[in-house]
Amino acid sequence: MAHPPSPKRSASLDQEQFLTVLSREEALSRFETALFPRPARHEMRKLNDALGLALAEDVIAPIDVPPFDRSNVDGFAVRSSDLAMAAEGSAIRLALNNEIIACGDAPQLVVTPGTATPIATGGPVPRGADAVVMIEHTQPAGARAIEIRRAASPGQFVSYAGSDIARGEALMRAGTIVGSREVGMLAACGIAEVKVACKPKVAILSTGDELVPPGQSLRPAAIYDTNGPIVTAAIAENGGDAVFVGAFPDDEVKLEAAMRAALAQCDMLVLSGGTSKGAGDVSHRIIGRLGKPGIIAHGVALKPGKPLCLAVCDGKPVVILPGFPTSAMFTFHDMIVPVLRRMAGLPPRSDAKVTARVPVRIASELGRTEFVMVSLVEGEDGLIAYPSGKGSGAITAFAQADGFLRIDALAYQMPAGTEAEVTLFTPHVRVPDLVIVGSHCTGLDIVTASLVRGGLSVRSIPVGSLGGLAAARRGECDLAPIHLFDDKTDTYNASFLVPGLELVPGYRRMQGIVFRAGDNRFEERDAQGAVKAALADPSCLMVNRNQGAGTRILIDRLLGEARPDGYWNQPKSHNAVAAAVAQNRADWGVTIAPVARAAGLGFIPLAEEHYDFALVSARKARPAVRAFLDSLASSETRATLERAGFRPA
Ligand code: AMP
Ligand code: MG
């Protein structure tokens, strides 16, 4: 195939060679080699204008603090040897020298043997004196003398020159972020200005035809730009001066203009989305035209985050983060933060780490460094790290996780029971007061609301009813919300419990058929009639539920042997069923009443589902568990549940 040698074409050919996937270490090392060393930019700033900036050089203390030997109390400067024999029964009399040393007064007279000089807190200790006696421990003895009835140790109530800060000592190291405490130390040394690193100015662009900025209304098939705000915040958190340029459609001409303008103004460019090689993915082609050497790595053996693209254009880093927000965040923290911090004059980030046991096996792809987000809970003998089981598109996984663990590229799994190192997102572990593992429900938020208002932290880890029961059996949670239908006994939940667990009745959720209002196949019919009408119309599309869901059992009973179109569409949540029907991707499905109501759908009641709690008996006495049970039983919670469409048991 012959191609005309257009600049566009040759740029994309150049990039083909970078499509080989590099290891994380190789990609980072090539990126850093292309960027460093580079001249650092600094400026002098007045103390209060330096807040939040990194010191560009060590600060050496120019003076002693305090600058002189200073009295710590109001009293008398004395020679301790004069008071060696002082005791309750033998007072020592000292003649007063003719001066009073207040703060800011330089002493004029020497404290000779047998004399004392009145001195105020903060006053300089005069020549000859080596201790201060508190005024409370003295008695006047005539006009010009005092009596003292206790000995004084040398140095008593004296802060010696340089005891706080010694002249010549390294007060602060380069890279220290200036905060109020640093300002205090600098001011105490008389320093009015410091040399700080200039923050690198970083432009952020989101790309994708589907993106809508938060605050505007969502058109069909569009999503909100999540990466723009997260990346902007994360850049500011890591020493950058973040400039959010906007969310751009995948339009090569417009995007190139925006990228060029941003690069001219800024020290670094961070894009997200469009880094795979899909038809609409144009940013990596543009990079080839922005400057030398261009793309350094396109494809890194990370999971999530493989499509990461790293480039340097005429000395400036240009990065395209993967589109999925969690992938974008991991690659940003792992690969971009080190470079950004170095440009900002900050030391490498010191992440807090803890060791925690992984309760379940985590499968991992061989050949890629894998990051797994985890939630930490307190187990019987130490911390437990629960992997957040959502896909790489899940933004809540990031917000709810406490940190992440890393599975080596050469491992194909992390076995259950591994003691793994967890890197925390925040400097401290905050183990939740109440841990709920199992099926999630919006009603649960109503029950826990009062606990959260009362200052308890509640962690709900959605793993489904069966996963919750398993966690409860292992003692890894306080409560497991379950809604398991036993078709042998035709009852809910009770038959699934084992010794050590007890059933706390929760509430009922009406399950029913949902349809779009006005659909005559469903309006005014009962459940059997509606399903009959649906099955009679070959164009009528259903949405099913996943195998194992309580709802699925109901659906299978309704359908009997029938397998209508849509049967194999089996989402895993009540909300997904409602969304499919509301958005016309299906005509009917089965979901719970509160979800149907929130989606504005028609609803034909079918059967009540029992949503109860398997309580770990050993944890019953914990204050947070008691608070939960109290809330569940309270009339306020019950009323709120009813208003939301639930029926408390
Ligand atoms: P892309 O790399 O452009 O193919 O995007 C991969 C996935 O990430 C798609 O589902 C995009 O809709 C999604 N995505 C891309 N950019 C963003 C963004 N700024 N905010 C939220 N999701 C995004
Ligand atoms: Mg895209």
Side-chain angles (χ1 to χ4, degrees):
M1 266 206 307
H3 293 286
S6 76
K8 218 166 155 176
R9 183 65 208 173
S10 70
S12 68
L13 276 181
D14 277 352
Q15 280 145 20
E16 292 302 316
Q17 65 190 298
F18 292 110
L19 295 178
T20 37
V21 172
L22 300 182
S23 74
R24 164 182 181 274
E25 291 69 25
E26 177 66 20
L28 193 55
S29 138
R30 288 194 196 180
F31 193 37
E32 292 189 320
T33 306
L35 287 168
F36 301 104
R38 60 199 285 119
R41 287 193 296 121
H42 356 95
E43 57 184 334
M44 294 303 291
R45 290 256 189 145
K46 294 221 167 60
L47 292 193
N48 283 313
D49 297 336
L51 282 179
L53 298 176
L55 291 176
E57 56 190 14
D58 295 351
V59 176
I60 307 299
I63 59 160
D64 284 327
V65 178
F68 47 82
D69 298 349
R70 183 180 66 190
S71 173
N72 282 340
V73 294
D74 289 334
F76 300 91
V78 299
R79 303 171 77 101
S80 58
S81 56
D82 280 351
L83 299 176
M85 305 307 285
E88 207 39 60
S90 75
I92 301 284
R93 185 188 162 90
L94 297 176
L96 289 183
N97 295 308
N98 191 22
E99 72 173 333
I100 295 173
I101 304 167
C103 273
D105 288 349
Q108 304 298 322
L109 303 176
V110 178
V111 175
T112 53
T115 71
T117 300
I119 188 166
T121 306
V125 176
R127 180 182 168 92
D130 62 3
V132 177
V133 176
M134 282 168 90
I135 191 158
E136 295 90 326
H137 298 151
T138 66
Q139 264 109 44
R144 302 234 49 85
I146 51 169
E147 272 183 3
I148 300 170
R149 290 168 194 274
R150 61 168 81 189
S153 51
Q156 167 179 296
F157 298 129
V158 176
S159 285
Y160 287 102
S163 57
D164 192 353
I165 298 169
R167 176 198 301 213
E169 104 178 74
L171 195 57
M172 278 164 233
R173 294 292 181 191
T176 304
I177 304 281
V178 180
S180 55
R181 291 174 303 169
E182 286 70 26
V183 165
M185 292 210 281
L186 293 163
C189 289
I191 297 172
E193 296 194 312
V194 279
K195 189 187 270 188
V196 289
C198 298
K199 282 190 175 186
K201 206 167 166 186
V202 185
I204 299 109
L205 289 84
S206 300
T207 70
D209 291 335
E210 73 281 26
L211 301 181
V212 172
Q216 296 187 10
S217 60
L218 214 50
R219 52 177 195 275
I223 58 168
Y224 284 118
D225 172 21
T226 314
N227 293 339
I230 320 182
V231 174
T232 303
I235 284 172
E237 282 172 351
N238 285 284
D241 179 5
V243 183
F244 179 56
V245 183
F248 291 80
D250 296 304
D251 173 324
E252 193 158 351
V253 174
K254 286 197 185 120
L255 192 58
E256 178 161 354
M259 286 168 73
R260 283 188 185 280
L263 204 55
Q265 299 284 314
C266 294
D267 306 304
M268 179 171 179
L269 203 56
V270 180
L271 285 85
S272 67
T275 173
S276 324
K277 281 151 278 120
D281 298 332
V282 293
S283 359
H284 63 272
R285 277 190 256 147
I286 299 170
I287 289 180
R289 303 192 286 269
L290 291 183
K292 293 272 159 244
I295 290 176
I296 286 182
H298 192 179
V300 181
L302 295 172
K303 188 176 181 185
K306 188 170 168 185
L308 176 69
C309 178
L310 305 173
V312 173
C313 298
D314 297 339
K316 296 183 181 179
V318 178
V319 171
I320 316 176
L321 301 173
F324 277 127
T326 43
S327 312
M329 283 328 285
F330 272 127
T331 47
F332 179 81
H333 282 288
D334 199 52
M335 307 287 286
I336 315 305
V337 163
V339 165
L340 174 60
R341 292 184 70 95
R342 228 171 130 177
M343 288 172 69
L346 295 172
R349 198 160 68 182
S350 57
D351 288 315
K353 294 184 173 158
V354 295
T355 303
R357 186 170 55 82
V358 177
V360 288
R361 171 182 177 272
I362 308 172
S364 173
E365 190 180 316
L366 206 57
R368 281 162 82 183
T369 303
E370 184 153 348
F371 300 100
V372 180
M373 274 182 271
V374 294
S375 297
L376 291 172
V377 302
E378 187 97 64
E380 249 132 59
D381 45 1
L383 291 173
I384 293 172
Y386 258 99
S388 325
K390 295 192 179 178
S392 61
I395 181 68
T396 47
F398 215 79
Q400 283 162 10
D402 295 296
F404 62 90
L405 47 86
R406 189 182 295 189
I407 303 179
D408 194 81
L410 297 176
Y412 69 95
Q413 67 158 347
M414 183 173 271
T418 304
E419 292 287 333
E421 186 183 70
V422 176
T423 305
L424 300 178
F425 288 135
T426 53
H428 305 290
V429 201
R430 289 166 306 165
V431 182
D433 299 307
L434 184 72
V435 180
I436 301 173
V437 179
S439 162
H440 188 78
C441 173
T442 49
L444 193 54
D445 300 333
I446 295 173
V447 183
T448 56
S450 65
L451 278 69
V452 177
R453 274 199 304 274
L456 293 171
S457 60
V458 177
R459 170 71 46 75
S460 166
I461 303 175
V463 297
S465 297
L466 287 173
L469 265 185
R473 271 201 295 271
R474 294 190 301 256
E476 290 162 0
C477 61
D478 299 304
L479 294 152
I482 53 175
H483 49 98
L484 291 165
F485 185 69
D486 182 353
D487 52 0
K488 287 190 211 71
T489 56
D490 257 17
T491 58
Y492 271 98
N493 301 330
S495 61
F496 291 87
L497 293 206
V498 295
L501 302 180
E502 51 199 90
L503 196 68
V504 176
Y507 44 84
R508 310 283 160 87
R509 317 192 290 192
M510 183 53 83
Q511 304 246 34
I513 295 178
V514 278
F515 58 93
R516 287 179 303 283
D519 188 330
N520 287 329
R521 293 168 296 194
F522 301 96
E523 286 290 6
E524 309 291 329
R525 291 184 205 266
D526 66 3
Q528 301 301 333
V531 171
K532 211 168 145 204
L535 293 178
D537 176 0
S539 75
C540 187
L541 200 59
M542 77 169 292
V543 50
N544 202 348
R545 276 296 306 277
N546 55 306
Q547 193 73 45
T551 311
R552 173 65 176 270
I553 295 170
L554 288 177
I555 297 172
D556 284 343
R557 285 185 171 188
L558 277 174
L559 289 178
E561 299 295 307
R563 293 289 176 270
D565 201 7
Y567 184 88
W568 298 106
N569 183 14
Q570 304 184 349
K572 290 198 184 116
S573 77
H574 294 304
N575 289 56
V577 170
V581 176
Q583 293 163 10
N584 211 4
R585 280 178 283 114
D587 300 314
W588 70 279
V590 177
T591 191
I592 57 173
V595 169
R597 183 190 295 183
L601 293 172
F603 187 76
I604 306 169
L606 204 52
E608 264 190 337
E609 179 180 57
H610 296 212
Y611 186 86
D612 298 323
F613 300 93
L615 168 64
V616 178
S617 303
R619 300 211 182 198
K620 219 164 140 179
R622 292 165 71 112
V625 174
R626 296 241 288 272
F628 180 89
L629 297 176
D630 289 347
S631 170
L632 187 62
S634 78
S635 49
E636 191 195 336
T637 299
R638 294 170 67 92
T640 315
L641 281 170
E642 264 171 43
R643 274 198 302 280
F646 300 100
R647 199 163 71 82

